[in-house]
PDB file of all heavy atoms in Angstrom:
ATOM      1  N   LEU D 610       0.823  -1.202   0.000  1.00 42.00           N
ATOM      2  CA  LEU D 610       0.000   0.000   0.000  1.00 42.00           C
ATOM      3  C   LEU D 610       0.859   1.255   0.000  1.00 42.00           C
ATOM      4  O   LEU D 610       0.567   2.224  -0.711  1.00 42.00           O
ATOM      5  CB  LEU D 610      -0.930   0.004   1.222  1.00 42.00           C
ATOM      6  CG  LEU D 610      -2.093  -0.990   1.195  1.00 42.00           C
ATOM      7  CD1 LEU D 610      -2.829  -0.990   2.527  1.00 42.00           C
ATOM      8  CD2 LEU D 610      -3.058  -0.666   0.060  1.00 42.00           C
ATOM      9  N   VAL D 611       1.922   1.235   0.789  1.00 42.00           N
ATOM     10  CA  VAL D 611       2.836   2.383   0.834  1.00 42.00           C
ATOM     11  C   VAL D 611       3.475   2.598  -0.527  1.00 42.00           C
ATOM     12  O   VAL D 611       3.599   3.730  -1.009  1.00 42.00           O
ATOM     13  CB  VAL D 611       3.917   2.181   1.920  1.00 42.00           C
ATOM     14  CG1 VAL D 611       4.994   3.253   1.797  1.00 42.00           C
ATOM     15  CG2 VAL D 611       3.288   2.219   3.304  1.00 42.00           C
ATOM     16  N   LEU D 612       3.885   1.490  -1.165  1.00 47.00           N
ATOM     17  CA  LEU D 612       4.502   1.580  -2.487  1.00 47.00           C
ATOM     18  C   LEU D 612       3.510   2.126  -3.509  1.00 47.00           C
ATOM     19  O   LEU D 612       3.863   2.939  -4.362  1.00 47.00           O
ATOM     20  CB  LEU D 612       4.996   0.197  -2.924  1.00 47.00           C
ATOM     21  CG  LEU D 612       5.671   0.125  -4.306  1.00 47.00           C
ATOM     22  CD1 LEU D 612       6.910   1.017  -4.324  1.00 47.00           C
ATOM     23  CD2 LEU D 612       6.042  -1.317  -4.638  1.00 47.00           C
ATOM     24  N   LEU D 613       2.252   1.681  -3.410  1.00 43.00           N
ATOM     25  CA  LEU D 613       1.222   2.139  -4.337  1.00 43.00           C
ATOM     26  C   LEU D 613       0.998   3.643  -4.201  1.00 43.00           C
ATOM     27  O   LEU D 613       0.905   4.369  -5.197  1.00 43.00           O
ATOM     28  CB  LEU D 613      -0.083   1.383  -4.076  1.00 43.00           C
ATOM     29  CG  LEU D 613      -1.277   1.727  -4.986  1.00 43.00           C
ATOM     30  CD1 LEU D 613      -0.940   1.452  -6.442  1.00 43.00           C
ATOM     31  CD2 LEU D 613      -2.504   0.942  -4.570  1.00 43.00           C
ATOM     32  N   VAL D 614       0.915   4.122  -2.964  1.00 45.00           N
ATOM     33  CA  VAL D 614       0.743   5.553  -2.719  1.00 45.00           C
ATOM     34  C   VAL D 614       1.930   6.334  -3.272  1.00 45.00           C
ATOM     35  O   VAL D 614       1.778   7.391  -3.882  1.00 45.00           O
ATOM     36  CB  VAL D 614       0.568   5.838  -1.217  1.00 45.00           C
ATOM     37  CG1 VAL D 614       0.633   7.337  -0.938  1.00 45.00           C
ATOM     38  CG2 VAL D 614      -0.753   5.269  -0.722  1.00 45.00           C
ATOM     39  N   PHE D 615       3.130   5.778  -3.100  1.00 46.00           N
ATOM     40  CA  PHE D 615       4.343   6.432  -3.612  1.00 46.00           C
ATOM     41  C   PHE D 615       4.307   6.540  -5.131  1.00 46.00           C
ATOM     42  O   PHE D 615       4.620   7.592  -5.694  1.00 46.00           O
ATOM     43  CB  PHE D 615       5.579   5.643  -3.177  1.00 46.00           C
ATOM     44  CG  PHE D 615       6.855   6.175  -3.771  1.00 46.00           C
ATOM     45  CD1 PHE D 615       7.456   7.318  -3.258  1.00 46.00           C
ATOM     46  CD2 PHE D 615       7.466   5.529  -4.843  1.00 46.00           C
ATOM     47  CE1 PHE D 615       8.626   7.814  -3.798  1.00 46.00           C
ATOM     48  CE2 PHE D 615       8.632   6.026  -5.398  1.00 46.00           C
ATOM     49  CZ  PHE D 615       9.215   7.166  -4.876  1.00 46.00           C
ATOM     50  N   VAL D 616       3.879   5.469  -5.788  1.00 45.00           N
ATOM     51  CA  VAL D 616       3.806   5.467  -7.254  1.00 45.00           C
ATOM     52  C   VAL D 616       2.779   6.481  -7.740  1.00 45.00           C
ATOM     53  O   VAL D 616       3.014   7.227  -8.701  1.00 45.00           O
ATOM     54  CB  VAL D 616       3.469   4.056  -7.786  1.00 45.00           C
ATOM     55  CG1 VAL D 616       3.143   4.113  -9.270  1.00 45.00           C
ATOM     56  CG2 VAL D 616       4.635   3.112  -7.525  1.00 45.00           C
ATOM     57  N   ILE D 617       1.624   6.528  -7.073  1.00 46.00           N
ATOM     58  CA  ILE D 617       0.574   7.474  -7.461  1.00 46.00           C
ATOM     59  C   ILE D 617       1.079   8.909  -7.312  1.00 46.00           C
ATOM     60  O   ILE D 617       0.896   9.744  -8.187  1.00 46.00           O
ATOM     61  CB  ILE D 617      -0.705   7.258  -6.614  1.00 46.00           C
ATOM     62  CG1 ILE D 617      -1.357   5.927  -6.991  1.00 46.00           C
ATOM     63  CG2 ILE D 617      -1.692   8.413  -6.811  1.00 46.00           C
ATOM     64  CD1 ILE D 617      -2.510   5.532  -6.103  1.00 46.00           C
ATOM     65  N   ASN D 618       1.740   9.200  -6.187  1.00 49.00           N
ATOM     66  CA  ASN D 618       2.265  10.541  -5.965  1.00 49.00           C
ATOM     67  C   ASN D 618       3.343  10.884  -6.980  1.00 49.00           C
ATOM     68  O   ASN D 618       3.432  12.015  -7.458  1.00 49.00           O
ATOM     69  CB  ASN D 618       2.843  10.664  -4.543  1.00 49.00           C
ATOM     70  CG  ASN D 618       1.747  10.691  -3.490  1.00 49.00           C
ATOM     71  OD1 ASN D 618       0.620  11.072  -3.774  1.00 49.00           O
ATOM     72  ND2 ASN D 618       2.073  10.301  -2.275  1.00 49.00           N
ATOM     73  N   LEU D 619       4.167   9.887  -7.324  1.00 45.00           N
ATOM     74  CA  LEU D 619       5.220  10.107  -8.302  1.00 45.00           C
ATOM     75  C   LEU D 619       4.630  10.438  -9.662  1.00 45.00           C
ATOM     76  O   LEU D 619       5.085  11.342 -10.355  1.00 45.00           O
ATOM     77  CB  LEU D 619       6.110   8.865  -8.398  1.00 45.00           C
ATOM     78  CG  LEU D 619       7.336   8.965  -9.326  1.00 45.00           C
ATOM     79  CD1 LEU D 619       8.285  10.048  -8.817  1.00 45.00           C
ATOM     80  CD2 LEU D 619       8.061   7.627  -9.401  1.00 45.00           C
ATOM     81  N   ASN D 620       3.578   9.710 -10.045  1.00 50.00           N
ATOM     82  CA  ASN D 620       2.921   9.972 -11.324  1.00 50.00           C
ATOM     83  C   ASN D 620       2.328  11.375 -11.362  1.00 50.00           C
ATOM     84  O   ASN D 620       2.396  12.071 -12.373  1.00 50.00           O
ATOM     85  CB  ASN D 620       1.815   8.941 -11.584  1.00 50.00           C
ATOM     86  CG  ASN D 620       2.381   7.569 -11.947  1.00 50.00           C
ATOM     87  OD1 ASN D 620       3.521   7.467 -12.388  1.00 50.00           O
ATOM     88  ND2 ASN D 620       1.592   6.536 -11.744  1.00 50.00           N
ATOM     89  N   ALA D 621       1.724  11.792 -10.226  1.00 50.00           N
ATOM     90  CA  ALA D 621       1.133  13.122 -10.167  1.00 50.00           C
ATOM     91  C   ALA D 621       2.194  14.196 -10.323  1.00 50.00           C
ATOM     92  O   ALA D 621       1.975  15.232 -10.955  1.00 50.00           O
ATOM     93  CB  ALA D 621       0.378  13.303  -8.851  1.00 50.00           C
ATOM     94  N   GLN D 622       3.379  13.944  -9.754  1.00 58.00           N
ATOM     95  CA  GLN D 622       4.458  14.919  -9.839  1.00 58.00           C
ATOM     96  C   GLN D 622       5.013  15.018 -11.253  1.00 58.00           C
ATOM     97  O   GLN D 622       5.623  16.024 -11.611  1.00 58.00           O
ATOM     98  CB  GLN D 622       5.567  14.539  -8.862  1.00 58.00           C
ATOM     99  CG  GLN D 622       5.162  14.693  -7.394  1.00 58.00           C
ATOM    100  CD  GLN D 622       6.187  14.098  -6.446  1.00 58.00           C
ATOM    101  OE1 GLN D 622       7.230  13.634  -6.883  1.00 58.00           O
ATOM    102  NE2 GLN D 622       5.878  14.111  -5.166  1.00 58.00           N
ATOM    103  N   GLU D 623       4.810  14.001 -12.071  1.00 86.00           N
ATOM    104  CA  GLU D 623       5.344  14.020 -13.430  1.00 86.00           C
ATOM    105  C   GLU D 623       4.571  14.977 -14.334  1.00 86.00           C
ATOM    106  O   GLU D 623       5.086  15.430 -15.342  1.00 86.00           O
ATOM    107  CB  GLU D 623       5.320  12.605 -14.026  1.00 86.00           C
ATOM    108  CG  GLU D 623       6.350  11.674 -13.397  1.00 86.00           C
ATOM    109  CD  GLU D 623       6.218  10.252 -13.903  1.00 86.00           C
ATOM    110  OE1 GLU D 623       5.268   9.978 -14.664  1.00 86.00           O
ATOM    111  OE2 GLU D 623       7.047   9.420 -13.530  1.00 86.00           O
ATOM    112  N   LEU D 624       3.315  15.262 -13.993  1.00 95.00           N
ATOM    113  CA  LEU D 624       2.544  16.223 -14.773  1.00 95.00           C
ATOM    114  C   LEU D 624       3.050  17.631 -14.483  1.00 95.00           C
ATOM    115  O   LEU D 624       3.242  18.003 -13.330  1.00 95.00           O
ATOM    116  CB  LEU D 624       1.066  16.148 -14.418  1.00 95.00           C
ATOM    117  CG  LEU D 624       0.252  14.959 -14.937  1.00 95.00           C
ATOM    118  CD1 LEU D 624      -1.198  15.121 -14.524  1.00 95.00           C
ATOM    119  CD2 LEU D 624       0.363  14.822 -16.434  1.00 95.00           C
ATOM    120  N   LYS D 625       3.244  18.402 -15.525  1.00 97.00           N
ATOM    121  CA  LYS D 625       3.687  19.785 -15.373  1.00 97.00           C
ATOM    122  C   LYS D 625       2.753  20.697 -16.142  1.00 97.00           C
ATOM    123  O   LYS D 625       2.066  20.276 -17.076  1.00 97.00           O
ATOM    124  CB  LYS D 625       5.121  19.942 -15.887  1.00 97.00           C
ATOM    125  CG  LYS D 625       6.150  19.147 -15.090  1.00 97.00           C
ATOM    126  CD  LYS D 625       7.552  19.363 -15.647  1.00 97.00           C
ATOM    127  CE  LYS D 625       8.581  18.570 -14.836  1.00 97.00           C
ATOM    128  NZ  LYS D 625       9.967  18.751 -15.369  1.00 97.00           N
ATOM    129  N   SER D 626       2.741  21.961 -15.733  1.00 97.00           N
ATOM    130  CA  SER D 626       1.941  22.939 -16.460  1.00 97.00           C
ATOM    131  C   SER D 626       2.407  23.010 -17.911  1.00 97.00           C
ATOM    132  O   SER D 626       3.604  22.894 -18.195  1.00 97.00           O
ATOM    133  CB  SER D 626       2.058  24.318 -15.815  1.00 97.00           C
ATOM    134  OG  SER D 626       1.463  24.326 -14.538  1.00 97.00           O
ATOM    135  N   ILE D 627       1.450  23.195 -18.803  1.00 98.00           N
ATOM    136  CA  ILE D 627       1.755  23.310 -20.233  1.00 98.00           C
ATOM    137  C   ILE D 627       1.383  24.706 -20.691  1.00 98.00           C
ATOM    138  O   ILE D 627       0.224  25.122 -20.577  1.00 98.00           O
ATOM    139  CB  ILE D 627       0.984  22.255 -21.044  1.00 98.00           C
ATOM    140  CG1 ILE D 627       1.377  20.841 -20.602  1.00 98.00           C
ATOM    141  CG2 ILE D 627       1.227  22.438 -22.538  1.00 98.00           C
ATOM    142  CD1 ILE D 627       0.560  19.738 -21.259  1.00 98.00           C
ATOM    143  N   ALA D 628       2.364  25.439 -21.185  1.00 98.00           N
ATOM    144  CA  ALA D 628       2.100  26.773 -21.723  1.00 98.00           C
ATOM    145  C   ALA D 628       1.384  26.645 -23.061  1.00 98.00           C
ATOM    146  O   ALA D 628       1.790  25.867 -23.923  1.00 98.00           O
ATOM    147  CB  ALA D 628       3.404  27.539 -21.882  1.00 98.00           C
ATOM    148  N   LEU D 629       0.317  27.390 -23.220  1.00 98.00           N
ATOM    149  CA  LEU D 629      -0.451  27.374 -24.458  1.00 98.00           C
ATOM    150  C   LEU D 629       0.043  28.467 -25.396  1.00 98.00           C
ATOM    151  O   LEU D 629       0.658  29.454 -24.966  1.00 98.00           O
ATOM    152  CB  LEU D 629      -1.935  27.571 -24.164  1.00 98.00           C
ATOM    153  CG  LEU D 629      -2.585  26.498 -23.279  1.00 98.00           C
ATOM    154  CD1 LEU D 629      -4.000  26.919 -22.894  1.00 98.00           C
ATOM    155  CD2 LEU D 629      -2.589  25.147 -23.970  1.00 98.00           C
ATOM    156  N   ASN D 630      -0.236  28.301 -26.664  1.00 98.00           N
ATOM    157  CA  ASN D 630       0.135  29.305 -27.662  1.00 98.00           C
ATOM    158  C   ASN D 630      -0.892  30.441 -27.664  1.00 98.00           C
ATOM    159  O   ASN D 630      -2.058  30.241 -27.299  1.00 98.00           O
ATOM    160  CB  ASN D 630       0.186  28.690 -29.053  1.00 98.00           C
ATOM    161  CG  ASN D 630       1.289  27.665 -29.196  1.00 98.00           C
ATOM    162  OD1 ASN D 630       2.245  27.653 -28.420  1.00 98.00           O
ATOM    163  ND2 ASN D 630       1.168  26.794 -30.184  1.00 98.00           N
ATOM    164  N   PRO D 631      -0.500  31.627 -28.103  1.00 98.00           N
ATOM    165  CA  PRO D 631      -1.491  32.679 -28.320  1.00 98.00           C
ATOM    166  C   PRO D 631      -2.520  32.192 -29.343  1.00 98.00           C
ATOM    167  O   PRO D 631      -2.181  31.444 -30.264  1.00 98.00           O
ATOM    168  CB  PRO D 631      -0.672  33.844 -28.882  1.00 98.00           C
ATOM    169  CG  PRO D 631       0.727  33.583 -28.436  1.00 98.00           C
ATOM    170  CD  PRO D 631       0.862  32.084 -28.409  1.00 98.00           C
ATOM    171  N   PRO D 632      -3.783  32.594 -29.200  1.00 98.00           N
ATOM    172  CA  PRO D 632      -4.804  32.116 -30.141  1.00 98.00           C
ATOM    173  C   PRO D 632      -4.569  32.644 -31.549  1.00 98.00           C
ATOM    174  O   PRO D 632      -4.162  33.793 -31.732  1.00 98.00           O
ATOM    175  CB  PRO D 632      -6.110  32.670 -29.558  1.00 98.00           C
ATOM    176  CG  PRO D 632      -5.688  33.869 -28.759  1.00 98.00           C
ATOM    177  CD  PRO D 632      -4.350  33.510 -28.195  1.00 98.00           C
ATOM    178  N   ASP D 633      -4.814  31.801 -32.523  1.00 98.00           N
ATOM    179  CA  ASP D 633      -4.733  32.204 -33.929  1.00 98.00           C
ATOM    180  C   ASP D 633      -6.117  32.693 -34.337  1.00 98.00           C
ATOM    181  O   ASP D 633      -6.966  31.897 -34.752  1.00 98.00           O
ATOM    182  CB  ASP D 633      -4.286  31.023 -34.789  1.00 98.00           C
ATOM    183  CG  ASP D 633      -4.174  31.390 -36.270  1.00 98.00           C
ATOM    184  OD1 ASP D 633      -4.447  32.560 -36.611  1.00 98.00           O
ATOM    185  OD2 ASP D 633      -3.843  30.507 -37.075  1.00 98.00           O
ATOM    186  N   ILE D 634      -6.341  33.987 -34.226  1.00 96.00           N
ATOM    187  CA  ILE D 634      -7.686  34.523 -34.457  1.00 96.00           C
ATOM    188  C   ILE D 634      -8.027  34.627 -35.942  1.00 96.00           C
ATOM    189  O   ILE D 634      -9.147  35.010 -36.300  1.00 96.00           O
ATOM    190  CB  ILE D 634      -7.871  35.894 -33.779  1.00 96.00           C
ATOM    191  CG1 ILE D 634      -6.869  36.907 -34.334  1.00 96.00           C
ATOM    192  CG2 ILE D 634      -7.738  35.766 -32.271  1.00 96.00           C
ATOM    193  CD1 ILE D 634      -7.101  38.322 -33.817  1.00 96.00           C
ATOM    194  N   ASN D 635      -7.086  34.281 -36.802  1.00 96.00           N
ATOM    195  CA  ASN D 635      -7.352  34.309 -38.241  1.00 96.00           C
ATOM    196  C   ASN D 635      -7.661  32.930 -38.820  1.00 96.00           C
ATOM    197  O   ASN D 635      -7.854  32.791 -40.023  1.00 96.00           O
ATOM    198  CB  ASN D 635      -6.146  34.916 -38.983  1.00 96.00           C
ATOM    199  CG  ASN D 635      -5.925  36.368 -38.621  1.00 96.00           C
ATOM    200  OD1 ASN D 635      -6.854  37.162 -38.642  1.00 96.00           O
ATOM    201  ND2 ASN D 635      -4.696  36.714 -38.259  1.00 96.00           N
ATOM    202  N   SER D 636      -7.710  31.919 -37.969  1.00 95.00           N
ATOM    203  CA  SER D 636      -7.953  30.561 -38.456  1.00 95.00           C
ATOM    204  C   SER D 636      -9.446  30.263 -38.546  1.00 95.00           C
ATOM    205  O   SER D 636     -10.266  30.941 -37.923  1.00 95.00           O
ATOM    206  CB  SER D 636      -7.286  29.537 -37.535  1.00 95.00           C
ATOM    207  OG  SER D 636      -7.893  29.571 -36.252  1.00 95.00           O
ATOM    208  N   GLY D 637      -9.784  29.242 -39.314  1.00 97.00           N
ATOM    209  CA  GLY D 637     -11.155  28.765 -39.351  1.00 97.00           C
ATOM    210  C   GLY D 637     -12.050  29.465 -40.358  1.00 97.00           C
ATOM    211  O   GLY D 637     -11.642  30.391 -41.070  1.00 97.00           O
ATOM    212  N   LEU D 638     -13.290  29.003 -40.401  1.00 97.00           N
ATOM    213  CA  LEU D 638     -14.298  29.526 -41.307  1.00 97.00           C
ATOM    214  C   LEU D 638     -14.910  30.809 -40.758  1.00 97.00           C
ATOM    215  O   LEU D 638     -14.660  31.185 -39.613  1.00 97.00           O
ATOM    216  CB  LEU D 638     -15.403  28.483 -41.504  1.00 97.00           C
ATOM    217  CG  LEU D 638     -14.966  27.096 -41.991  1.00 97.00           C
ATOM    218  CD1 LEU D 638     -16.167  26.157 -42.008  1.00 97.00           C
ATOM    219  CD2 LEU D 638     -14.329  27.182 -43.372  1.00 97.00           C
ATOM    220  N   THR D 639     -15.723  31.466 -41.565  1.00 97.00           N
ATOM    221  CA  THR D 639     -16.504  32.586 -41.059  1.00 97.00           C
ATOM    222  C   THR D 639     -17.539  32.054 -40.068  1.00 97.00           C
ATOM    223  O   THR D 639     -17.844  30.853 -40.034  1.00 97.00           O
ATOM    224  CB  THR D 639     -17.223  33.325 -42.195  1.00 97.00           C
ATOM    225  OG1 THR D 639     -18.221  32.453 -42.739  1.00 97.00           O
ATOM    226  CG2 THR D 639     -16.250  33.745 -43.282  1.00 97.00           C
ATOM    227  N   VAL D 640     -18.086  32.948 -39.275  1.00 96.00           N
ATOM    228  CA  VAL D 640     -19.081  32.540 -38.276  1.00 96.00           C
ATOM    229  C   VAL D 640     -20.268  31.850 -38.936  1.00 96.00           C
ATOM    230  O   VAL D 640     -20.721  30.788 -38.486  1.00 96.00           O
ATOM    231  CB  VAL D 640     -19.553  33.758 -37.453  1.00 96.00           C
ATOM    232  CG1 VAL D 640     -20.721  33.360 -36.550  1.00 96.00           C
ATOM    233  CG2 VAL D 640     -18.418  34.299 -36.605  1.00 96.00           C
ATOM    234  N   MET D 641     -20.794  32.407 -40.027  1.00 98.00           N
ATOM    235  CA  MET D 641     -21.964  31.830 -40.681  1.00 98.00           C
ATOM    236  C   MET D 641     -21.641  30.477 -41.295  1.00 98.00           C
ATOM    237  O   MET D 641     -22.466  29.553 -41.254  1.00 98.00           O
ATOM    238  CB  MET D 641     -22.504  32.793 -41.741  1.00 98.00           C
ATOM    239  CG  MET D 641     -23.043  34.091 -41.151  1.00 98.00           C
ATOM    240  SD  MET D 641     -24.370  33.837 -39.944  1.00 98.00           S
ATOM    241  CE  MET D 641     -25.749  33.522 -41.043  1.00 98.00           C
ATOM    242  N   GLN D 642     -20.444  30.340 -41.850  1.00 98.00           N
ATOM    243  CA  GLN D 642     -20.043  29.037 -42.387  1.00 98.00           C
ATOM    244  C   GLN D 642     -19.923  28.004 -41.263  1.00 98.00           C
ATOM    245  O   GLN D 642     -20.310  26.842 -41.435  1.00 98.00           O
ATOM    246  CB  GLN D 642     -18.714  29.179 -43.129  1.00 98.00           C
ATOM    247  CG  GLN D 642     -18.811  29.931 -44.444  1.00 98.00           C
ATOM    248  CD  GLN D 642     -17.453  30.260 -45.041  1.00 98.00           C
ATOM    249  OE1 GLN D 642     -16.464  30.367 -44.329  1.00 98.00           O
ATOM    250  NE2 GLN D 642     -17.404  30.413 -46.353  1.00 98.00           N
ATOM    251  N   ALA D 643     -19.396  28.432 -40.106  1.00 98.00           N
ATOM    252  CA  ALA D 643     -19.278  27.523 -38.971  1.00 98.00           C
ATOM    253  C   ALA D 643     -20.653  27.047 -38.509  1.00 98.00           C
ATOM    254  O   ALA D 643     -20.860  25.862 -38.236  1.00 98.00           O
ATOM    255  CB  ALA D 643     -18.526  28.209 -37.828  1.00 98.00           C
ATOM    256  N   PHE D 644     -21.601  27.979 -38.436  1.00 98.00           N
ATOM    257  CA  PHE D 644     -22.956  27.578 -38.039  1.00 98.00           C
ATOM    258  C   PHE D 644     -23.548  26.580 -39.030  1.00 98.00           C
ATOM    259  O   PHE D 644     -24.299  25.672 -38.643  1.00 98.00           O
ATOM    260  CB  PHE D 644     -23.863  28.807 -37.922  1.00 98.00           C
ATOM    261  CG  PHE D 644     -23.757  29.519 -36.606  1.00 98.00           C
ATOM    262  CD1 PHE D 644     -23.407  30.857 -36.550  1.00 98.00           C
ATOM    263  CD2 PHE D 644     -24.012  28.856 -35.421  1.00 98.00           C
ATOM    264  CE1 PHE D 644     -23.306  31.517 -35.339  1.00 98.00           C
ATOM    265  CE2 PHE D 644     -23.923  29.503 -34.200  1.00 98.00           C
ATOM    266  CZ  PHE D 644     -23.565  30.839 -34.154  1.00 98.00           C
ATOM    267  N   SER D 645     -23.231  26.732 -40.301  1.00 98.00           N
ATOM    268  CA  SER D 645     -23.787  25.827 -41.310  1.00 98.00           C
ATOM    269  C   SER D 645     -23.250  24.410 -41.155  1.00 98.00           C
ATOM    270  O   SER D 645     -23.861  23.450 -41.639  1.00 98.00           O
ATOM    271  CB  SER D 645     -23.486  26.349 -42.715  1.00 98.00           C
ATOM    272  OG  SER D 645     -22.123  26.155 -43.055  1.00 98.00           O
ATOM    273  N   LYS D 646     -22.117  24.260 -40.480  1.00 97.00           N
ATOM    274  CA  LYS D 646     -21.501  22.949 -40.312  1.00 97.00           C
ATOM    275  C   LYS D 646     -21.650  22.388 -38.895  1.00 97.00           C
ATOM    276  O   LYS D 646     -21.225  21.268 -38.626  1.00 97.00           O
ATOM    277  CB  LYS D 646     -20.004  23.024 -40.662  1.00 97.00           C
ATOM    278  CG  LYS D 646     -19.742  23.292 -42.135  1.00 97.00           C
ATOM    279  CD  LYS D 646     -18.265  23.311 -42.446  1.00 97.00           C
ATOM    280  CE  LYS D 646     -18.023  23.475 -43.937  1.00 97.00           C
ATOM    281  NZ  LYS D 646     -18.531  22.328 -44.715  1.00 97.00           N
ATOM    282  N   ARG D 647     -22.256  23.157 -37.974  1.00 97.00           N
ATOM    283  CA  ARG D 647     -22.361  22.692 -36.605  1.00 97.00           C
ATOM    284  C   ARG D 647     -23.188  21.418 -36.496  1.00 97.00           C
ATOM    285  O   ARG D 647     -24.283  21.329 -37.036  1.00 97.00           O
ATOM    286  CB  ARG D 647     -22.963  23.772 -35.701  1.00 97.00           C
ATOM    287  CG  ARG D 647     -22.713  23.467 -34.212  1.00 97.00           C
ATOM    288  CD  ARG D 647     -23.935  23.679 -33.347  1.00 97.00           C
ATOM    289  NE  ARG D 647     -25.043  22.808 -33.692  1.00 97.00           N
ATOM    290  CZ  ARG D 647     -25.170  21.553 -33.268  1.00 97.00           C
ATOM    291  NH1 ARG D 647     -24.243  20.973 -32.526  1.00 97.00           N
ATOM    292  NH2 ARG D 647     -26.225  20.829 -33.635  1.00 97.00           N
ATOM    293  N   SER D 648     -22.673  20.419 -35.803  1.00 97.00           N
ATOM    294  CA  SER D 648     -23.395  19.167 -35.584  1.00 97.00           C
ATOM    295  C   SER D 648     -22.810  18.488 -34.352  1.00 97.00           C
ATOM    296  O   SER D 648     -21.736  18.861 -33.876  1.00 97.00           O
ATOM    297  CB  SER D 648     -23.288  18.240 -36.800  1.00 97.00           C
ATOM    298  OG  SER D 648     -21.945  17.870 -37.013  1.00 97.00           O
ATOM    299  N   SER D 649     -23.528  17.497 -33.831  1.00 98.00           N
ATOM    300  CA  SER D 649     -23.054  16.742 -32.674  1.00 98.00           C
ATOM    301  C   SER D 649     -22.515  15.402 -33.151  1.00 98.00           C
ATOM    302  O   SER D 649     -23.253  14.586 -33.706  1.00 98.00           O
ATOM    303  CB  SER D 649     -24.202  16.520 -31.678  1.00 98.00           C
ATOM    304  OG  SER D 649     -24.640  17.759 -31.155  1.00 98.00           O
ATOM    305  N   ALA D 650     -21.228  15.193 -32.939  1.00 98.00           N
ATOM    306  CA  ALA D 650     -20.579  13.970 -33.410  1.00 98.00           C
ATOM    307  C   ALA D 650     -20.989  12.774 -32.561  1.00 98.00           C
ATOM    308  O   ALA D 650     -21.306  12.911 -31.372  1.00 98.00           O
ATOM    309  CB  ALA D 650     -19.067  14.133 -33.380  1.00 98.00           C
ATOM    310  N   SER D 651     -20.970  11.608 -33.164  1.00 96.00           N
ATOM    311  CA  SER D 651     -21.311  10.375 -32.439  1.00 96.00           C
ATOM    312  C   SER D 651     -20.123   9.437 -32.297  1.00 96.00           C
ATOM    313  O   SER D 651     -20.223   8.390 -31.666  1.00 96.00           O
ATOM    314  CB  SER D 651     -22.457   9.638 -33.150  1.00 96.00           C
ATOM    315  OG  SER D 651     -22.111   9.369 -34.495  1.00 96.00           O
ATOM    316  N   ALA D 652     -18.969   9.811 -32.864  1.00 97.00           N
ATOM    317  CA  ALA D 652     -17.761   9.001 -32.742  1.00 97.00           C
ATOM    318  C   ALA D 652     -16.555   9.924 -32.781  1.00 97.00           C
ATOM    319  O   ALA D 652     -16.564  10.950 -33.474  1.00 97.00           O
ATOM    320  CB  ALA D 652     -17.671   7.964 -33.860  1.00 97.00           C
ATOM    321  N   PHE D 653     -15.521   9.557 -32.035  1.00 98.00           N
ATOM    322  CA  PHE D 653     -14.341  10.398 -31.901  1.00 98.00           C
ATOM    323  C   PHE D 653     -13.079   9.571 -32.116  1.00 98.00           C
ATOM    324  O   PHE D 653     -13.095   8.341 -32.043  1.00 98.00           O
ATOM    325  CB  PHE D 653     -14.312  11.053 -30.518  1.00 98.00           C
ATOM    326  CG  PHE D 653     -15.476  11.970 -30.275  1.00 98.00           C
ATOM    327  CD1 PHE D 653     -16.659  11.490 -29.724  1.00 98.00           C
ATOM    328  CD2 PHE D 653     -15.407  13.304 -30.617  1.00 98.00           C
ATOM    329  CE1 PHE D 653     -17.740  12.315 -29.517  1.00 98.00           C
ATOM    330  CE2 PHE D 653     -16.482  14.151 -30.420  1.00 98.00           C
ATOM    331  CZ  PHE D 653     -17.652  13.664 -29.867  1.00 98.00           C
TER     332      PHE D 653
END
């Protein structure tokens, strides 16, 4: 049990903050085109 707790804590320590990129505000379709394609996916 002690070893298991140690492994779990070690795994948690391996995660680090990830810096994100500035948003690319010029990407993608126009708003109206995006609405024309909006749907709910059933598989990922």
Side-chain angles (χ1 to χ4, degrees):
L610 288 173
V611 170
L612 180 61
L613 181 60
V614 170
F615 175 78
V616 170
I617 291 172
N618 288 335
L619 184 63
N620 287 338
Q622 292 171 4
E623 289 174 355
L624 285 183
K625 296 181 180 179
S626 293
I627 299 174
L629 299 172
N630 294 340
D633 180 0
I634 60 174
N635 295 311
S636 65
L638 304 175
T639 67
V640 172
M641 295 302 282
Q642 289 170 334
F644 277 122
S645 74
K646 293 182 176 296
R647 196 225 62 83
S648 63
S649 296
S651 56
F653 297 89

